[in-house]
Amino acid sequence: MFGSGLPGGLPHGATEDTPMFVISVAAQLSGLHAQTLRSYDRLGLVSPGRTSGGGRRYSMRDIALLREVQRLSQEEGVNLAGIKRIIELENQVEALQHRLSELTEELAGAYAAAEQAAAAVHASYRKDLVPVRQESALVVWRPRRR
């Protein structure tokens, strides 16, 4: 999804979401000033991880998001409130797509279970029974008189 932007990729065991960059490195990787990163954090545009001492630690996903915020602001002319709303909507779409995927898998499992149950019912039918046509007819039996 995101290129790490690092020579050799991410460190062993790290993911795109692993907070690992101090603010000065994150600023350099994103092409922004450290104070801008602090402002974006205060505004809720990017929420980096925190150390036990309260220091910010940025992940590669955060760096990519910072770059996108800069692009939207500089190239598209979107204000920060608009960018925040765009980010919120993109996160909502991603969550809904994930939920849709979960429900699709769940539905496929339910269909498979229903097909197995139907097959089991059909397999349990008695083979010695013969289907009889259902007709509406009235038969009157009159015994013969002798």
Side-chain angles (χ1 to χ4, degrees):
M1 179 182 218
F2 297 102
S4 72
L6 297 176
L10 295 172
H12 180 70
T15 68
E16 296 171 341
D17 296 315
T18 304
M20 59 185 148
F21 302 110
V22 295
I23 195 165
S24 60
V25 174
Q28 185 177 17
L29 288 172
S30 64
L32 299 169
H33 192 276
Q35 193 57 41
T36 304
L37 273 61
R38 290 184 189 94
S39 296
Y40 288 176
D41 185 10
R42 277 193 301 277
L43 293 170
L45 292 172
V46 179
S47 300
R50 298 286 182 158
T51 64
S52 57
R56 294 172 176 87
R57 291 293 184 270
Y58 291 84
S59 67
M60 281 313 302
R61 187 177 303 272
D62 294 331
I63 302 299
L65 185 55
L66 288 166
R67 290 174 179 162
E68 180 64 5
V69 169
Q70 182 183 29
R71 187 193 70 76
L72 288 170
S73 175
Q74 300 296 316
E75 295 176 19
E76 305 295 332
V78 180
N79 65 24
L80 294 180
I83 293 171
K84 184 173 183 178
R85 184 67 179 139
I86 289 169
I87 292 168
E88 289 169 352
L89 290 172
E90 286 177 343
N91 290 339
Q92 187 177 11
V93 166
E94 186 178 328
L96 289 170
Q97 287 172 334
H98 179 72
R99 182 65 178 138
L100 177 62
S101 177
E102 289 175 343
L103 290 173
T104 301
E105 288 178 23
E106 187 178 328
L107 183 60
Y111 274 132
E115 287 178 5
Q116 286 180 344
V121 167
H122 291 299
S124 72
Y125 290 162
R126 290 183 49 191
K127 304 295 184 214
D128 59 336
L129 296 178
V130 178
V132 178
R133 281 192 321 201
Q134 298 289 327
E135 293 182 11
S136 298
L138 178 62
V139 178
V140 179
W141 179 72
R142 293 189 183 138
R144 290 188 184 161
R145 293 190 183 172
R146 296 191 180 165

